[in-house]
């Protein structure tokens, strides 16, 4: 039986406790609000996320290990939690006018995003296999429901069903891998598991458990060949929900991989690094080549997400502190870029017009030069063109891969980084060199969306010029 924790013992959990108390309070408050006052729930959720982000950033409550090692708060968890909260708050700003126009603005959407964020935070701070699974399922169940919010849309319902079925399969693989590791070591605690793996005489069972666990991680990341749910879910879900799925949860996926692989089965790194290298190469090849053939922008971004996951795996496969810091830096940069890319689609869309095809961006420079300039920043950063932030992220993971003695993988990364530029530049060409289609609707004029997109897109340029502090922050998480 676990000892009863005191109030002082729970201080490192303060951001999570504030978030869960605030989420329940908003859920109860929303019951008494009509549609005209729904903004109260929405603004309250954004304010709550920003407060929790500040608590994580400022280290309120202090770092430490509580609940008998089940919960770990360290520099990595503070960085990722602060980033996840800010990105979810940004997703709520983008989502407000889009969902209101389509009659989908419900208080449950904001509250489910809060509970999904709580799942991410538990996952990021997991110190045991139980906490990993608890955080993962809290995030997954909220995400399934969010994808299905437009239940009268057959495409959204199909996307939600595929996401649920394949997500359940991924959870099953992960859980099976964990059960094999528990069977081999007799512990659920990650620190104890690592020590047991180092001295185990059951390498076969441990390796089998690790392989199933990596398959589950690859499913959750959307890495090839486990990426089948990504394009359909990204295309079918309402765009603000796609924005949410493609940004903050990626930070939690990185934490899931790091906690399970390095903190759990670290002594087997000679084996799992090779598996990650293979998944990285497959993701780079499949993601980039299939993205080249897409005319739908959301599907193109979905396949580009697969290729970006390949770059994250480059850093993880490189191993050591430099590699983990590079992978963490990359996943943060990718989450910011992904939010801006889907934010651009929201800024272009209106009721009855989703702006989710590349052709919808034709002649945008003639219709709205400022918006075209912001989209150009996003596409250049995703392509990895200097001085945008995406360039430094790619450079960091490639350097970590070379330092990890995986030169062949770094060459694959460089070749497909060049190939990947093509489909991003197609969007730029459509905006600047193609005439606008007849009768094309004017881009959205909502100030909050345009302001959020401007901050989001220009951050890619500004942070690209001053990227060292963010990278140093990531390095401190592993040294």
């Amino acid at each position: 039986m676990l000892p009863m924790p005191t109030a002082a013992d729970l201080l490192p959990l303060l951001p999570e406790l504030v978030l869960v108390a605030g989420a329940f309070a908003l859920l109860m408050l929303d019951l008494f609000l009509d549609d005209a006052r729904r903004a109260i729930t929405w603004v309250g959720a954004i304010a709550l996320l920003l407060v929790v982000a500040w608590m994580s950033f400022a280290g309120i409550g202090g770092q430490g290990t509580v609940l008998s090692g089940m919960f770990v708060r360290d520099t990595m968890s503070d960085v990722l939690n602060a980033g996840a909260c800010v990105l979810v708050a940004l997703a709520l700003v983008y989502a407000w006018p889009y969902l209101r126009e389509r009659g989908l603005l419900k208080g449950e959407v904001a509250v489910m995003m809060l509970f999904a964020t709580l799942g991410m935070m538990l996952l990021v701070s997991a110190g045991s296999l139980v906490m990993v699974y608890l955080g993962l399922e809290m995030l997954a169940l909220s995400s399934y429901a969010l994808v299905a919010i437009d239940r009268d849309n057959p495409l959204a319902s199909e996307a939600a069903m595929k996401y649920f079925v394949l997500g359940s399969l991924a959870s099953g693989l992960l859980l099976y891998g964990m059960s094999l590791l528990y069977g081999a070591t007799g512990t659920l605690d990650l620190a104890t598991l690592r020590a047991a793996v180092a001295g185990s005489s059951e390498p076969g069972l441990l390796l089998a458990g690790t392989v199933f666990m990596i398959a589950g991680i690859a499913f959750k990341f959307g890495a090839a060949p486990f990426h089948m749910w990504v394009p359909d879910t990204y295309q079918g879900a309402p765009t603000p929900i796609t924005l949410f799925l493609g940004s903050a949860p990626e930070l939690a996926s990185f934490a899931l991989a790091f906690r399970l692989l390095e903190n759990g089965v670290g002594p087997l790194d000679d084996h799992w690094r090779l598996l990650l290298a293979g998944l990285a190469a497959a993701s780079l090849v499949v993601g980039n080549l299939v993205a080249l053939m897409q005319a739908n922008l959301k599907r193109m971004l979905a396949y580009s997400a697969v290729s970006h996951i390949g770059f994250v795996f480059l850093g993880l496969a490189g191993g050591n502190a430099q590699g983990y810091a590079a992978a963490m830096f990359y996943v943060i940069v990718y989450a910011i870029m992904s939010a801006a890319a889907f934010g651009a689609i929201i800024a272009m869309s209106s009721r009855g017009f989703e702006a989710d095809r590349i052709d919808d961006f034709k002649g945008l420079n003639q219709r709205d030069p400022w918006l075209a300039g912001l989209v150009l920043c996003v596409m250049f950063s995703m392509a990895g063109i200097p001085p945008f932030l995406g360039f430094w992220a790619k450079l960091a993971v490639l350097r970590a891969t070379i330092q990890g003695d995986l030169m062949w993988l770094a060459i694959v990364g460089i070749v497909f980084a060049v190939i990947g530029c093509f489909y991003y530049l197609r969007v730029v060409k459509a905006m600047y060199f193609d005439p606008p289609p007849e009768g094309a609707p004017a881009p959205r004029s909502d100030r909050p969306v345009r302001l959020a997109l401007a901050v989001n897109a220009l951050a890619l340029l500004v942070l690209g010029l001053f990227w060292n502090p963010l990278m140093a922050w990531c390095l401190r998480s592993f040294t």
Side-chain angles (χ1 to χ4, degrees), residues 256-290:
L256 168 71
F258 178 78
R259 297 288 188 203
L260 287 178
L261 296 178
E262 175 59 28
N263 290 1
V265 293
L268 298 176
D269 62 341
D270 285 347
H271 301 282
W272 57 254
R273 280 181 61 201
L274 280 178
L275 283 173
L276 288 184
L279 288 170
S283 300
L284 289 167
V285 174
V286 172
N288 283 301
L289 292 184
V290 182

Side-chain angles (χ1 to χ4, degrees), residues 234 246 250 301 305 308 330-339 382:
Y234 274 38
E250 299 295 347
L301 290 172
H308 283 290
Y330 196 96
V331 83
I332 292 172
V333 172
Y334 171 68
I336 299 171
M337 294 191 300
S338 179
M382 294 190 102

Side-chain angles (χ1 to χ4, degrees), residues 17-102:
L17 294 175
V18 169
L19 181 59
V20 72
F24 276 115
L26 285 173
L27 182 63
M28 297 305 296
L29 176 66
D30 189 71
L31 293 174
F32 301 97
L33 298 176
D34 53 25
D35 287 344
R37 293 185 293 171
R38 192 70 66 205
I40 295 174
T41 308
W42 220 261
V43 173
I46 293 171
L48 177 62
L49 285 165
L50 293 179
V51 167
V52 175
W54 170 76
M55 292 176 74
S56 298
F57 181 79
I60 303 295
Q63 296 180 348
T65 302
V66 297
L67 302 178
S68 300
M70 291 181 68
F71 183 92
V72 179
R73 184 173 176 189
D74 52 18
T75 305
M76 185 189 85
S77 63
D78 279 342
V79 174
L80 293 178
N81 286 339
C85 288
V86 171
L87 285 165
V88 176
L90 189 62
L92 285 170
V93 174
Y94 279 126
W96 165 264
Y98 181 99
L99 297 179
R100 184 186 55 196
E101 276 181 356
R102 291 156 180 80

Side-chain angles (χ1 to χ4, degrees), residues 308 310-318 322-331 390-404 406 409-410 413 471:
H308 283 290
F311 281 106
V312 175
F313 279 10
L314 286 186
L316 287 170
Q322 296 286 339
Y324 299 139
M328 183 172 161
F329 180 64
Y330 196 96
V331 83
F391 168 76
W392 302 109
K394 282 188 169 68
L395 189 66
V397 291
L398 288 170
R399 187 168 55 187
T401 310
I402 294 169
Q403 289 172 346
L406 292 168
L409 189 56
M471 186 66 197

Side-chain angles (χ1 to χ4, degrees), residues 47-289:
L48 177 62
L49 285 165
L50 293 179
V51 167
V52 175
W54 170 76
M55 292 176 74
S56 298
F57 181 79
I60 303 295
Q63 296 180 348
T65 302
V66 297
L67 302 178
S68 300
M70 291 181 68
F71 183 92
V72 179
R73 184 173 176 189
D74 52 18
T75 305
M76 185 189 85
S77 63
D78 279 342
V79 174
L80 293 178
N81 286 339
C85 288
V86 171
L87 285 165
V88 176
L90 189 62
L92 285 170
V93 174
Y94 279 126
W96 165 264
Y98 181 99
L99 297 179
R100 184 186 55 196
E101 276 181 356
R102 291 156 180 80
L104 299 172
L105 191 66
K106 307 292 181 189
E108 306 91 272
V109 175
V111 174
M112 280 191 289
M113 283 196 187
L114 293 179
F115 282 116
T117 308
L118 179 65
M120 292 179 220
M121 294 176 75
L122 294 181
L123 194 53
V124 164
S125 297
S128 82
L129 296 178
V130 174
M131 190 62 81
V132 167
Y133 201 69
L134 181 67
L136 191 62
E137 289 308 296
M138 186 172 286
L139 169 60
L141 292 174
S142 302
S143 301
Y144 302 149
L146 284 169
V147 173
I149 57 165
D150 191 6
R151 59 186 179 187
D152 295 328
N153 183 342
L155 204 58
S157 300
E158 181 187 343
M161 187 58 71
K162 284 182 179 175
Y163 189 28
F164 174 72
V165 172
L166 293 175
S168 301
L169 178 63
S171 297
L173 287 172
L174 194 63
L175 197 58
Y176 187 59
M178 290 178 181
S179 67
L180 290 179
L181 290 175
Y182 178 72
T185 61
T187 181
L188 295 171
D189 181 79
L190 287 174
T192 313
L193 176 65
R194 183 186 170 94
V197 168
S200 174
S201 58
E202 297 280 353
L205 199 56
L206 288 172
L207 286 175
T210 304
V211 169
F212 276 104
M213 228 166 47
I214 289 177
I217 291 169
F219 253 117
K220 292 298 179 187
F221 261 112
F226 304 103
H227 64 285
M228 294 79 77
W229 62 273
V230 178
D232 291 337
T233 303
Y234 274 38
Q235 186 183 7
T239 306
I241 305 303
T242 310
L243 185 156
F244 167 76
L245 293 176
S247 55
E250 299 295 347
L251 306 186
S253 297
F254 166 79
L256 168 71
F258 178 78
R259 297 288 188 203
L260 287 178
L261 296 178
E262 175 59 28
N263 290 1
V265 293
L268 298 176
D269 62 341
D270 285 347
H271 301 282
W272 57 254
R273 280 181 61 201
L274 280 178
L275 283 173
L276 288 184
L279 288 170
S283 300
L284 289 167
V285 174
V286 172
N288 283 301
L289 292 184

